[in-house]
């Protein structure tokens, strides 16, 4: 009923930039917080950046000043602009969204994840 689809990952050299997108589709009533996580091999999944429905943002310290999260509510899409990328940013990035959606004759809520997208920073 609800799907999250990511795009924009890939291979980039250190110091380069990438922009991740995550589009939410389905019978959506509203979307609350939208969040980017990442998981590098051998590491736990960590929160990278989050944005509320009102536009308030938060970031993990390691990306502050380099990454920017934003959302387009009309398109049900969240973005992660990543600048000055470092090799340690290499990971699979996951989008998460808290979604209220139409289900039958009522509203339901759920916490949804995208499939993950690889970001590799290497020369």
């Amino acid at each position: 009923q609800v799907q999250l689809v990511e795009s924009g990952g890939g291979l980039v050299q250190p110091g380069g930039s990438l922009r991740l997108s995550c589009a939410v589709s389905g019978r959506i009533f509203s979307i609350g917080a939208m969040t980017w996580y990442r998981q590098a091999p051998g590491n736990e999944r960590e929160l990278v950046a989050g944005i509320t429905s009102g536009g308030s943002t938060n970031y993990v310290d390691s990306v502050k000043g380099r990454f920017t999260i934003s959302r387009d509510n009309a398109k049900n899409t969240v973005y992660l602009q990543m600048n000055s990328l470092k090799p340690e940013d290499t990971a699979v990035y996951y989008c998460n969204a808290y979604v209220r959606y139409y289900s039958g004759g009522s509203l339901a809520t759920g916490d949804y994840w995208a499939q993950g997208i690889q970001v590799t920073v290497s020369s």
Side-chain angles (χ1 to χ4, degrees):
Q1 289 170 316
V2 176
Q3 283 191 316
L4 278 63
V5 178
E6 298 170 326
S7 61
L11 172 64
V12 63
Q13 292 187 341
S17 297
L18 282 175
R19 187 194 196 205
L20 302 182
S21 300
C22 175
V24 184
S25 63
R27 301 180 67 206
I28 300 166
F29 175 78
S30 65
I31 303 174
M34 304 181 84
T35 311
W36 288 97
Y37 291 79
R38 66 186 179 187
Q39 187 167 19
N43 291 356
E44 293 186 354
R45 190 172 297 189
E46 68 168 349
L47 187 149
V48 177
I51 185 166
T52 67
S53 57
S56 297
T57 60
N58 65 287
Y59 299 90
V60 67
D61 285 347
S62 60
V63 308
K64 286 180 180 177
R66 300 188 298 122
F67 290 12
T68 302
I69 189 171
S70 61
R71 63 191 286 169
D72 184 333
N73 291 328
K75 295 181 179 180
N76 293 329
T77 300
V78 63
Y79 305 96
L80 186 67
Q81 178 66 44
M82 305 185 292
N83 299 328
S84 302
L85 281 160
K86 304 175 180 180
E88 51 264 43
D89 295 318
T90 296
V92 177
Y93 283 70
Y94 297 90
C95 169
N96 173 272
Y98 185 78
V99 183
R100 180 174 287 185
Y101 59 96
Y102 297 99
S103 178
S106 61
L107 293 177
T109 57
D111 196 48
Y112 289 90
W113 292 88
Q115 77 283 0
I117 193 164
Q118 179 69 46
V119 171
T120 302
V121 184
S122 175
S123 55

